[in-house]
Amino acid sequence: QASIRLRMKSVTVRDALNQAMDEELERDERVFLMGEEVAQYDGAYKVSRGLWKKYGDKRIIDTPISEMGFAGIAVGAAMAGLRPICEFMTFNFSMQAIDQVINSAAKTYYMSAGLQPVPIVFRGPNGASAGVAAQHSQCFAAWYAHCPGLKVVSPWNSEDAKGLLKSAIRDDNPVVFLENELMYGVPFEMSEDSQSKDFTIPIGKAKIERQGNHVTLVSHSRFVGHCLDAAAVLAKEGIECEVINLRTIRPMDVESIETSVMKTNHLVTVEGGWPQFGVGAEICARVMEGSAFNFLDAPVTRVTGVDIPMPYAKILEDHSLPQVKDIIFSVKKTLNV
Amino acid sequence: MKTMLTVISNALCRITGKNVGARVAVTRNFADFTPQVTFDIKKCDLHRLEAGPPVKAELTREQGLQYYRTMQMVRRVELKADQLYKQKIIRGFCHLYDGQEACAAGIEAAISPSDHLITAYRAHGYTYTRGVSIRQILAELTGRKGGVAKGKGGSMHMYAPHFYGGNGIVGAQVPLGAGIALACQYRGNNQVCVTLYGDGAANQGQLFETFNMAALWKLPCVFICENNKYGMGTAVERAAASTDYYKRGDFIPGLRVDGMDVLSVREATRFAADHCRAGKGPIVMELQTYRYHGHSMSDPGVSYRTREEIQEVRSKSDPISLLRERMLSNNMASAEEFKEMDVEIRKEVDDAAQFATSDPEPPLEDLCNHVFSNNPPLDVRGTHPWSKLKSVS
């Protein structure tokens, strides 16, 4: 036990992403990174630090501020057999390019009846940061996960980040990889296995971060941490939460959710995005349509961002997103305690 | 008296070694200061234009002091914002304008309050020149209820009558500006819209779509590219196949202007606005300018350019110093006067900062308001189903 612990390493999410890209760039010379400030600036959020120095202009490409243009260029390169990683400085700017993501990337393999794959990864920070206001705080999980042909991944911790990004790059399909700016600097212990160059996490499989019998909490990205914090508080009151880290939004691992709900009989979803037509709404629908519905002792509760554009003032921003106390409150209401 | 003043003026010009020549226009002889001077300004590079703005600019003492005050106020507000950001009282994004003051001041001097203006996120200077008080600007930056957007917008989202922000998405403000110009044309009110963007945004496709439609429909839109040589961390040469931003409107006439000289900016903007008002369609202006700070407060600004370069611009081309030296060397004002103004301005900014740090944050009741305009009140879902919040217009 002790020797295993010694081989654990504390790695930030940023460094885990960096390692994933570094390893995949090394492994497959068709892989390249393209985006604003990714090369000489080391990345707007330093996620691609050191890569340009190591791999040069051909593999790490700085683009002008032309999202629609360079996203299209990246998709074209993927069609011609390369394996681009297209970075959006934040996913808010992907709206400039969303036609290329959906119409040129997501639908093409289908439209060509299998003739034309598009092995591309679109990655960047998604969702709210701190004080960046309405135009820079939107969560795009629901928008992208709505579309067939796309895979949508949303890692939480460093292992997720590394393993899922490697899988995304190796996947022959377009993958939207939703990172979180506030998580970049957070360190997590990474197992020895996860430090290997062959370490991947399968896309489409959720992870049980914490076992429990009384209620299932399902979340993705940063709010997995909030769920674990809420679970720790609730445990002191004798309420044991099972916390599921979705890891992938599309295809969603509904089976893991259902298995858990059949055990706990209660479900609370937690996300940063807006409620209407969101990830939690989809989970509710899927649970209702499936075998777990009859095991529910109460309706599913969704904990979400407030249904407004993101305000700037700190007090308003704090009240626009789920806080740990909101999760605790929702669990108790769902359990009727 | 006239001869003596001329002699003194010429001597001062020789002593200070300024290239900018001046003819002293003496109309009164009891004033201590020269009331008006005509300055030579740089000739603009022209694109598809037979003639450009005049190469001489008249400046009255009052105008000079006013431009100085405006630029110095913007400078001090930006430096105060820098301070407040480092104290973590301002959060999120903060893109500072110091170095570029002559652009905002010169443009405002050439248009009227009934004209329209829209810019991107480096917007604090324009928010001020378009009429918002520095108290309301600083309080918006600190996220207080006394902010111009009640604390809900932040640095990039400040608005005022005929000032449409403050826009966070690079380039998106350009089609918006053309749309405002379309409204002016539609209403036949002889107003123009000044639409600003940076050298980075110049590579956005939506600009070219906008240029096409603005030219096709002869929209009264003055497109102004503030070229400060760097789009975040990328120098213009690495981002643009052509860095002649004044030519990139292609079929739209253009001019390239010294953006560090408030008089050049004013004359050029006047010329451009006249062009639009005469029904000739849009025009593109490139202002060559410089920002002292990095792209934003998260960017030290020295990984992609040298400190020497920044220092050189500060010492040789600072817009505020240029104006002050011009006025001093032509006896339009005294050094003491400028010093007094500086002290006054500093105090005003300190007072505004005091307000901005003591004003309360917006009340929680305001959280969901302003989702819709002119709409009956609606219920808004909070973070969970038991949280039912209220929204009024």
Side-chain angles (χ1 to χ4, degrees), chain B residues 293-309:
Chain B
H293 269 84
H295 164 73
S296 73
M297 288 303 297
S298 337
D299 170 33
V302 287
S303 65
Y304 47 87
R305 54 183 191 171
T306 62
R307 290 181 206 273
E308 288 72 44
E309 177 186 282

Side-chain angles (χ1 to χ4, degrees), chain B residues 74-92:
Chain B
V74 172
R75 174 70 56 93
R76 303 281 4 145
V77 164
E78 296 298 77
L79 294 179
K80 179 60 71 175
D82 169 281
Q83 211 178 63
L84 292 170
Y85 194 92
K86 286 169 177 158
Q87 295 173 305
K88 298 194 195 301
I89 299 172
I90 296 176
R91 338 157 28 237

Side-chain angles (χ1 to χ4, degrees), chain A residues 142-187:
Chain A
W143 282 28
Y144 286 117
H146 186 62
C147 301
L150 274 185
K151 297 191 181 181
V152 180
V153 174
S154 184
W156 165 55
N157 63 12
S158 302
E159 266 196 36
D160 290 353
K162 184 171 177 195
L164 288 168
L165 185 52
K166 285 165 76 77
S167 293
I169 294 168
R170 295 184 193 192
D171 201 304
D172 290 337
N173 296 290
V175 180
V176 167
F177 193 87
L178 304 171
E179 300 163 8
N180 186 290
E181 199 221 312
L182 295 174
M183 296 304 294
Y184 282 153
V186 180

Side-chain angles (χ1 to χ4, degrees), chain A residues 37 62 65-66 135 312 317, chain B residues 91 141 168 203-204 233 238:
Chain A
E37 310 293 353
D62 272 339
I65 309 177
S66 307
Q135 292 180 335
Y312 166 66
E317 186 178 52
Chain B
R91 338 157 28 237
L141 293 178
N203 302 314
Q204 275 276 313
R238 288 206 307 124

Side-chain angles (χ1 to χ4, degrees), chain B residues 70-86 90 94-101 121-128 134 137-138 141 155 158 291-293 295 297 349:
Chain B
T70 299
M71 292 197 288
Q72 188 70 289
M73 184 67 80
V74 172
R75 174 70 56 93
R76 303 281 4 145
V77 164
E78 296 298 77
L79 294 179
K80 179 60 71 175
D82 169 281
Q83 211 178 63
L84 292 170
Y85 194 92
K86 286 169 177 158
I90 296 176
C94 191
H95 308 85
L96 298 180
Y97 196 68
D98 49 313
Q100 301 186 212
E101 296 87 353
Y121 46 75
R122 201 173 302 283
H124 308 159
Y126 290 100
T127 312
Y128 176 65
I134 59 169
I137 294 172
L138 284 172
L141 293 178
S155 167
M158 299 198 246
R291 53 165 164 83
Y292 296 145
H293 269 84
H295 164 73
M297 288 303 297
V349 173

Side-chain angles (χ1 to χ4, degrees), chain B residues 194-312:
Chain B
V194 174
T195 300
L196 291 133
Y197 59 97
D199 49 273
N203 302 314
Q204 275 276 313
Q206 53 191 322
L207 261 74
F208 298 93
E209 294 186 8
T210 303
F211 287 160
N212 184 46
M213 285 182 274
L216 213 49
W217 302 333
K218 291 195 158 33
L219 300 180
C221 194
V222 179
F223 295 106
I224 301 187
C225 176
E226 284 180 290
N227 176 7
N228 61 18
K229 301 171 64 162
Y230 300 94
M232 195 162 155
T234 304
V236 293
E237 301 77 37
R238 288 206 307 124
S242 163
T243 55
D244 290 334
Y245 297 101
Y246 72 110
K247 289 185 183 171
R248 289 185 62 190
D250 189 4
F251 34 77
I252 298 180
L255 47 154
R256 181 161 57 192
V257 183
D258 178 3
M260 304 307 264
D261 174 4
V262 66
L263 294 180
S264 293
V265 176
R266 185 190 74 186
E267 293 307 311
T269 307
R270 218 170 250 166
F271 173 87
D274 287 346
H275 175 103
C276 290
R277 283 191 235 274
K280 295 181 185 170
I283 188 166
V284 172
M285 232 168 83
E286 176 187 341
L287 295 176
Q288 294 188 301
T289 184
Y290 199 84
R291 53 165 164 83
Y292 296 145
H293 269 84
H295 164 73
S296 73
M297 288 303 297
S298 337
D299 170 33
V302 287
S303 65
Y304 47 87
R305 54 183 191 171
T306 62
R307 290 181 206 273
E308 288 72 44
E309 177 186 282
I310 305 169
Q311 195 38 47
E312 174 149 7

